[in-house]
Amino acid sequence: MRDKAYISDTIRQSLVLLALALAAAFAVNSFSPHGIPLFGEWDTSKGVITANPDNGVVNHDLEIDSVEAAKKIFDQNSAVFLDARSRDDYAQGRIEGALSFPINEFESRLEDLREQFDEQTYFITYCSGRECEDSHMLAHRLFENGYWEVSVFIDGFPAWEARGYPIEKND
């Protein structure tokens, strides 16, 4: 009888400790600026996925969700395509005529952009597809700096290349 009571107390204490640990973990996560969101947008058919839909970076209203639509704009030469990927990715292949504008270099590149393009320029940002939110981050930063004509080509370079549309590579 005593063994059953001891086991029962041990299980109960373990469950209380587990509940306290989970409560502490969720509390720390919710107050941390680098916490992991509990809910996200994971359906690529609805656009770029994001772990944190509340951070204001991914704006589905800006998205060009068809490679053909992006190609039509490209053919009309009515927008400047900005590649938000790393310089290495850009060098390995990019949409023909696109400018390299890695999101991690935004601050250092902004002045050059201002000198080359006015605030009415239509930009289309892109990166590596619907699993990459760098293009949305770049669009967001452009908005913050007065560029209002911005769209995000969500299928990015991989889809463009897969369709056989014009690309460039560094030799």
Side-chain angles (χ1 to χ4, degrees):
M1 189 75 124
R2 185 170 175 219
D3 289 337
K4 287 183 182 180
Y6 177 75
I7 291 172
S8 177
D9 284 345
T10 302
I11 291 173
R12 188 180 11 233
Q13 290 171 355
S14 297
L15 290 174
V16 168
L17 285 174
L18 178 62
L20 289 172
L22 285 172
F26 281 113
V28 169
N29 187 59
S30 68
F31 291 112
S32 171
H34 304 292
I36 300 168
L38 298 179
F39 304 101
E41 296 173 359
W42 305 111
D43 186 355
T44 58
S45 69
K46 295 180 180 177
V48 171
I49 63 170
T50 179
N52 191 356
D54 297 329
N55 69 1
V57 173
V58 173
N59 181 346
H60 295 297
D61 294 335
L62 300 177
E63 294 180 342
I64 299 172
D65 63 355
S66 135
V67 182
E68 293 77 19
K71 176 66 162 67
K72 185 175 180 179
I73 295 166
F74 174 86
D75 288 341
Q76 294 170 348
N77 200 29
S78 59
V80 175
F81 283 74
L82 296 178
D83 190 324
R85 300 173 305 151
S86 71
R87 287 183 179 271
D88 289 340
D89 288 341
Y90 176 85
Q92 291 175 16
R94 60 193 169 274
I95 294 174
E96 185 178 282
L99 302 177
S100 177
F101 211 94
I103 188 61
N104 63 342
E105 296 178 15
F106 186 86
E107 295 300 325
S108 63
R109 304 283 310 280
L110 180 60
E111 196 56 42
D112 291 340
L113 190 77
R114 286 192 187 285
E115 289 174 8
Q116 196 171 358
F117 302 103
D118 65 31
E119 292 176 346
Q120 276 69 50
T121 302
Y122 179 33
F123 291 110
I124 296 180
T125 63
Y126 72 91
C127 56
S128 299
R130 294 181 185 217
E131 291 84 20
C132 172
E133 63 182 15
D134 290 353
S135 53
H136 272 282
M137 288 183 205
L138 180 55
H140 183 76
R141 297 297 306 275
L142 289 167
F143 277 130
E144 289 178 336
N145 284 278
Y147 291 97
W148 294 98
E149 298 294 324
V150 182
S151 294
V152 178
F153 171 40
I154 61 174
D155 291 312
F157 181 72
W160 185 274
E161 183 180 36
R163 289 284 166 81
Y165 293 157
I167 64 169
E168 299 174 325
K169 296 181 181 184
N170 288 5
D171 295 329

